[in-house]
Amino acid sequence: MKDELMTRLFGDLSVSAVAAGFLAVLVSYAGPLAIFFQAGSAADIPPQMMTSWVWAISMGAAISGIVLSLWLRAPVVTAWSAPGTALLVALFPGLSLNEAVGAYLTAAVIIFIIGVSGTFDAIVRAIPKGVAAGMMAGILFQFGIGAFAAIETTPALAIGMLVAYVVFRRLWPKYTLVLLLMVGVLLAVVLEGASLAGVRLSLAVPQLIVPQWNLGATLSLAIPLVLVSLTGQFLPGMAILQGAGYRVKAKPVIAVTSLVSLPMALFGGITTVVAAITAAICTGKDAHEDPDRRYVAGVFNGVFYLVGGLFAGTIVALFTSLPAAFVAVLAGLALLGAIAGNLHAALDDASHREASLITFIVTASGLSLFGLSSAFWGVVIGYACYLILNGNMAKK
C-alpha cells in the first residue's frame, strides 16, 4: 500500500502543485504567525519556548495535511487556529501557559466529539452552495484589497509584483505563482532593502509543557476556541473544498486534526484545523488543471510545514525578514482566481443571488459579535435571508 501511494504521488507530481503548497505555507508563516508572536509577547515567552510553539503548530499541520491529502485524494490543507490564537493575546498573562495547554486539550476533545458524531457534516450540507460561496468570497476579498492597498505604502514593490503577475499569467499561466514568488523576493531585496543576513540554520528543540485544568481556563479559552475553530476555520475550510468540487466529509478531517492536536498541545501547539485562506491557493486551477492531481499541493503543503517545524527558528527568521507588503501583495494576487470563482458561484443562481450577496457583504465587513467571526454571521444572516426569500415563507 505504501509503495502504491508513493508511486501514484510521484506520478501526479507537478511544479505548479508543489509551488502552490509552498506558497500556502509562506502565506501562513508570514501572516497568521504574526498573531502567534503577539500572544507570545503578551505571555513573555522566551525564544526557546516560542520556537517550540512554532514547531508544534507546524508539525500538527504537516502530519494532518499529509495524511488527509493522501487518504482523501483531495488538497486538504491544515494549519493552526488563527482566530483561536487571537484569543490568547487578550488572555495572557492572566492565563498561565500550563492552563492554556490544558484548555487546548479540552478543546481538541470537544471538537473531536462534534466531528465524529456527524453533526458538523449535517450543518455543512444544509448550507446552500451560493451562500457558502458568498461567505468564502467575503473572507478572501480582504486579501485582494490588501494587495492593491499596498501600492500606497510601497508602490514600486506592489506595482512591480502586479506587472509580473499579469505578464506571467499571460505567458506561463501554470507557473505564475512560483515565478511571482521569485520575482517578489528579488524586488523585496532590491527595492525595500530586505536582508536575509540574519537567517541561520538551526534545528528546533521542543519544550514539554505540563497541562493544568481549571474552570476559568475552560470557560475563557477552551469553549471560545471550539466556537471560533468551528465557525472561523472548519466551516469556511470545508466550504472551500466543497466549492472546488471535492466531496470530502468533515468527519475524517475533524477527527484527524483533533487527534493530532492532542500531542502537539503538550509542546505549545494550539488546535490544528482546516485552513481557510491558504486552502484556496491549493484547490484552484493554479495548483493544477486536473482536480484529481491537486491533492499533491496538499501533500507538499504538509511537507513544507514539516521542514518549517524542524527548522522553526530559521523559518521564522526567513519569513519575518520579508516586508509586510510583499506578503500582502503575494497573498492577494495568489487568491484572485479563488475570489473570482467564489463570486461567480455566489451570483450564478438568480434564485439565491440576493441572499448570497448579503452573505458576501456581511462576511467582507469583518463583523465580530459575541466573539464569533464575520464568516459565522455571514452564513447565519445569509441563510436566514435565503429561507425568507426562497423557503416556505416566500411561498405563502
Side-chain angles (χ1 to χ4, degrees), residues 162-367:
L162 176 60
V163 171
Y165 173 83
V166 175
V167 171
F168 295 147
R169 196 71 177 165
R170 175 67 179 86
L171 299 178
W172 303 288
K174 289 185 178 181
Y175 308 108
T176 297
L177 296 184
V178 66
L179 292 172
L180 178 63
L181 174 63
M182 295 168 62
V183 170
V185 171
L186 178 63
L187 291 175
V189 171
V190 174
L191 300 177
E192 298 299 319
S195 174
L196 307 180
V199 179
R200 298 285 186 274
L201 283 177
S202 60
L203 287 172
V205 180
Q207 307 286 318
L208 182 65
I209 305 168
V210 179
Q212 291 180 1
W213 286 272
N214 60 54
L215 182 60
T218 300
L219 295 177
S220 63
L221 179 57
I223 301 302
L225 181 56
V226 171
L227 292 175
V228 299
S229 295
L230 291 175
T231 62
Q233 296 280 170
F234 282 108
L235 183 60
M238 294 305 300
I240 285 180
L241 286 167
Q242 298 285 342
Y246 297 101
R247 301 298 172 232
V248 175
K249 291 185 176 181
K251 184 183 291 187
V253 176
I254 294 180
V256 170
T257 52
S258 299
L259 290 174
V260 168
S261 295
L262 292 172
M264 293 302 109
L266 298 175
F267 300 96
I270 199 168
T271 308
T272 302
V273 294
V274 174
I277 306 305
T278 53
I281 298 174
C282 296
T283 55
K285 290 184 178 180
D286 283 331
H288 202 283
E289 289 292 331
D290 184 358
D292 291 336
R293 295 177 65 180
R294 292 175 196 162
Y295 77 94
V296 175
V299 173
F300 274 87
N301 178 261
V303 170
F304 287 119
Y305 267 129
L306 185 64
V307 174
L310 292 174
F311 298 96
T314 304
I315 210 76
V316 170
L318 172 62
F319 290 130
T320 54
S321 67
L322 298 170
F326 163 81
V327 179
V329 176
L330 184 64
L333 295 179
L335 292 169
L336 284 181
I339 296 171
N342 279 285
L343 279 174
H344 181 270
L347 304 177
D348 185 47
D349 191 333
S351 65
H352 301 173
R353 188 170 296 156
E354 195 163 2
S356 301
L357 180 61
I358 291 171
T359 303
F360 165 72
I361 293 173
V362 173
T363 306
S365 72
L367 169 69

Side-chain angles (χ1 to χ4, degrees), residues 129-152:
K129 183 179 178 180
V131 171
M135 174 192 64
M136 278 317 309
I139 292 173
L140 301 175
F141 186 64
Q142 297 300 325
F143 288 81
I145 290 177
F148 294 93
I151 294 176
E152 184 176 354

Side-chain angles (χ1 to χ4, degrees), residues 9-145:
L9 176 63
F10 284 109
D12 291 338
L13 203 62
S14 66
V15 173
S16 58
V18 174
F22 177 75
L23 182 57
V25 172
L26 173 68
V27 172
S28 291
Y29 276 144
L33 192 63
I35 305 173
F36 222 68
F37 278 108
Q38 283 183 298
S41 177
D44 196 22
I45 299 297
Q48 296 87 347
M49 184 59 72
M50 195 70 229
T51 297
S52 181
W53 281 20
V54 176
W55 176 88
I57 60 175
S58 300
M59 287 300 178
I63 295 169
S64 57
I66 293 172
V67 169
L68 288 168
S69 295
L70 286 173
W71 177 19
L72 302 176
R73 289 288 188 274
V76 182
V77 177
T78 57
W80 59 95
S81 176
T85 307
L87 293 172
L88 296 174
V89 179
L91 293 174
F92 286 143
L95 187 75
S96 73
L97 187 54
N98 305 86
E99 291 171 334
V101 170
Y104 293 167
L105 294 171
T106 301
V109 171
I110 294 174
I111 293 172
F112 176 80
I113 293 171
I114 292 173
V116 298
S117 68
T119 304
F120 194 78
D121 275 319
I123 295 172
V124 172
R125 284 195 302 269
I127 300 173
K129 183 179 178 180
V131 171
M135 174 192 64
M136 278 317 309
I139 292 173
L140 301 175
F141 186 64
Q142 297 300 325
F143 288 81
I145 290 177

